[in-house]
Amino acid sequence: TGSARPDATPFQHPAWLIPWWRHLGEGEPCTLALREAGELVALVPLYIWRRRLFPLGIGTTDYLDALVLPGHAAAAMAATISWVAAQQG
């Protein structure tokens, strides 16, 4: 997805997020991979800490956002919200 998103920032790249997690992360990593017809269309890097959901990189990262292919933002947001709601129940 990163190579398909030339507007992605360095803070959305695994080269930043993985070391961030190793050094600062607490809780359980939880990355959502959203696919359409088998194609990866969005990646939402999150983690769960104290029963709360946070974006990976929070606190020290300048830009927190999912990586989403153009044209899939609404579906990615809906799927993410749906997944979060399902975790509540």
Side-chain angles (χ1 to χ4, degrees):
T1 302
S3 63
R5 291 304 317 244
D7 59 332
T9 72
F11 301 107
Q12 294 170 285
H13 196 279
W16 172 264
L17 292 173
I18 292 170
W20 181 93
W21 177 255
R22 287 183 180 149
H23 294 282
L24 301 170
E26 295 185 61
E28 179 183 347
C30 178
T31 299
L32 303 179
L34 307 169
R35 298 180 181 277
E36 184 176 290
E39 177 187 16
L40 181 64
V41 297
L43 198 63
V44 186
L46 305 166
Y47 70 99
I48 301 168
W49 183 62
R50 295 187 178 176
R51 299 179 49 114
R52 294 195 175 135
L53 194 62
F54 296 94
L56 210 61
I58 194 169
T60 59
T61 300
D62 291 340
Y63 190 82
L64 305 169
D65 204 357
L67 286 169
V68 183
L69 291 179
H72 297 277
M77 180 61 75
T80 301
I81 290 170
S82 176
W83 181 86
V84 169
Q87 303 312 301
Q88 300 295 315

